[in-house]
Amino acid sequence: MSADPRRQVPRTDSLLADPRLAAAGERLGRGLVKGAVQQVQQRIRDGELAPPDAVPAVLAALPGTASSLRPVLNATGVLVHTNLGRSPLSPAAVAAITAAAGTTDVELDLASGRRGPRGEAAIAALLAAVPAAEAAIVVNNCAAALALVATALGQGKELVLARGELVEIGDGFRIPELLASTGARLREVGTTNRVTLGDYRGALGSATGAVLKVHPSNFVVRGFTRQVAVGELAAALAGTGTPLVADIGSGLLRPHPLLPDEPDLQSALAAGADVVLASGDKLLGGPQAGLVLGRAELVQRLRRHPLYRALRVDKTTLAALEATLRGPLPPVQEMLAADLDGLRARARALATRLATVGVDAVAVDAEARVGGGGAPEHPLPSAAVSLPASFAGSLRRGAPPVVGYVEGDRTLLNLRSLPPSADDDLAAAVLAVAAS
Ligand SMILES: *Cc1c(COP(=O)(O)O)cnc(C)c1O
């Protein structure tokens, strides 16, 4: 042993020249590899690592991609989990993003060589999926769609909306604050629990810019309550020229049999809303986007507003949205549709596989949720693998990370929020934790 371990630390140049690290540098960028090299050199100086192990240690410390976002197995039972990136995209949408990520014909008509309309195919797919809509635009998210509507229709005017619909969506995002920030004045009608058509009528006047209906996505009010449906409002506004805008939130295209209280784009427009707003990455199961559908003249007005340019989406979002609408059912929709027997069979198979090698694992029934601020009253029946509580943290820190939840003294890995194709990875992750 040399007295001074620092003398044995391999030089940065010679490590970076190693063919394995040079290849990693091409893939990830030299900066990332150099950072990992410096960490490993420090570990050698500290006597934690032998110099011959330097290159394998650098390789082990490198991330899989140049981005630090990692794929996570969502075993929370929350299908649209905001902290886990909401909707997982379908393989078709992922392939579409990859194809569009480079140079692409997003605004060029290849046949004529002239400039083409941006995102035309994604818009056509939206209109095909929602026949009641005459026109559509896509912006960054539903909050952006609200900001655009409030600015274009409500700035310097009044937006009439029910007091019970002044909602907070999550993480401090309050819809009334967003609306007011655009310079629109909020004209609140009714009380927290009750609003009537007469309340709306009493608020309409020359200052009215639009009437807004916001779906209270993440809570319900029960008891002595009354709301005015989109259809009733539309009938009352007919012929007045006042636009009726409905923010439905979660973005179902059509009514869903399992989620009777969740509004959908087609029904809201058919009931008479002039413009409907929804998120692309909640129940639609697509990329983050704000969908704006409705009457051609109003949608055109929103598209021509200067703010639209600041809120529009990029080519990869357009590609993913079109593939979500035209391609196979996205994962969120498959998870919603998964039948309980199938989920139980997966839980049993996984638990048996783990128990045979000595892991304390059993299959149990559990409840799943739509999440993302949707269908708060509709738990979905599900099945889970139950493990000792201590697994939760280790699984979360594992590779790949698995996010479950602790109930009592057990960690539950809920299967409704995971595609069946993830079961092998899930089993491997649990076995890795059990072995450590
Ligand atoms: C989720 C939600 C929003 C915000 O949507 P983002 O796409 O997250 O911006 C707005 N309104 C309603 C009713 C919602 O449920």
Side-chain angles (χ1 to χ4, degrees):
M1 281 282 280
S2 154
D4 186 356
R6 277 171 295 190
R7 285 170 195 268
Q8 303 173 344
V9 176
R11 290 165 47 95
T12 306
D13 309 358
S14 68
L15 282 174
L16 289 176
D18 182 283
R20 290 164 291 178
L21 296 193
E26 301 229 324
R27 199 165 45 86
L28 299 170
R30 245 175 103 83
L32 262 177
V33 179
K34 204 166 164 186
V37 161
Q38 284 161 350
Q39 279 174 24
V40 163
Q41 286 170 321
Q42 188 58 45
R43 287 172 60 200
I44 294 173
R45 266 181 225 114
D46 293 346
E48 288 174 18
L49 198 73
D53 295 334
V55 170
V58 172
L59 288 171
L62 286 173
T65 66
S67 151
S68 59
L69 288 178
R70 288 185 293 165
V72 171
L73 297 183
N74 174 10
T76 62
V78 178
L79 308 196
V80 179
H81 198 300
T82 301
N83 304 149
L84 297 177
R86 287 203 183 153
S87 294
L89 296 178
S90 67
V94 173
I97 286 179
T98 306
T103 314
T104 187
D105 58 342
V106 65
E107 265 182 52
L108 186 74
D109 175 19
L110 292 171
S112 68
R114 294 210 192 87
R115 181 178 189 156
R118 183 185 174 87
E120 192 181 34
I123 299 296
L126 260 179
L127 298 180
V130 185
E134 294 172 5
I137 51 174
V138 183
V139 290
N140 184 49
N141 55 18
C142 194
L146 274 167
L148 180 60
V149 161
T151 307
L153 306 182
Q155 206 166 54
K157 294 192 179 170
E158 289 182 352
L159 291 176
V160 176
L161 85 162
R163 228 168 231 122
E165 296 177 8
L166 301 172
V167 303
E168 175 170 327
I169 297 298
D171 194 27
F173 168 45
R174 295 179 165 172
I175 286 182
E177 291 175 356
L178 173 96
L179 297 174
S181 76
T182 67
R185 292 194 302 280
L186 298 192
R187 179 75 184 262
E188 301 168 18
V189 294
T191 61
T192 309
N193 53 327
R194 285 172 71 85
V195 64
T196 64
L197 201 49
D199 293 324
Y200 283 99
R201 281 214 174 93
L204 296 177
S206 56
T208 308
V211 173
L212 182 61
K213 245 195 96 66
V214 177
H215 177 56
S217 304
N218 49 10
F219 70 97
V220 292
V221 181
R222 245 193 301 262
F224 187 53
T225 65
R226 179 161 174 183
Q227 286 101 35
V228 182
V230 168
E232 283 177 81
L233 267 177
L237 291 174
T240 65
T242 300
L244 173 59
V245 179
D247 171 13
I248 67 164
S250 80
L252 285 178
L253 296 168
R254 285 169 291 277
H256 196 289
L258 286 177
L259 306 172
D261 300 329
E262 206 52 34
D264 66 277
L265 288 159
Q266 174 68 18
S267 304
L269 287 167
D274 297 301
V275 174
V276 180
L277 316 178
S279 287
D281 56 351
K282 293 183 182 171
L283 287 172
L284 181 67
Q288 178 187 304
L291 312 179
V292 180
L293 290 86
R295 284 204 294 114
E297 175 265 320
L298 270 171
V299 172
Q300 191 61 7
R301 214 167 123 195
L302 298 172
R303 191 206 312 272
R304 290 217 195 90
H305 194 282
L307 188 59
Y308 168 70
R309 186 63 165 77
L311 304 176
R312 71 174 194 184
V313 293
D314 81 320
K315 59 191 176 176
T316 59
T317 300
L318 290 167
L321 181 62
E322 184 186 354
T324 300
L325 291 161
R326 290 211 198 274
L329 222 52
V332 168
Q333 292 288 335
E334 287 193 334
M335 290 166 183
L336 259 183
D339 76 10
L340 183 58
D341 287 343
L343 293 166
R344 283 176 170 154
R346 285 170 61 196
R348 277 197 304 272
L350 275 165
T352 306
R353 208 162 140 186
L354 297 167
T356 22
V357 292
V359 181
D360 169 13
V362 286
V364 296
D365 278 352
E367 272 187 359
R369 307 228 151 234
V370 167
E377 290 288 273
H378 280 90
L380 306 162
S382 186
V385 177
S386 160
L387 301 164
S390 61
F391 273 70
S394 311
L395 281 168
R396 205 176 53 245
R397 290 184 289 269
V402 176
V403 182
Y405 55 102
V406 175
E407 226 175 63
D409 59 353
R410 303 292 288 182
T411 292
L412 296 191
L413 304 180
N414 195 311
L415 297 182
R416 193 181 276 277
S417 51
L418 272 173
S421 58
D423 287 359
D424 285 343
D425 288 344
L426 188 66
V430 175
L431 289 174
V433 167
S436 66

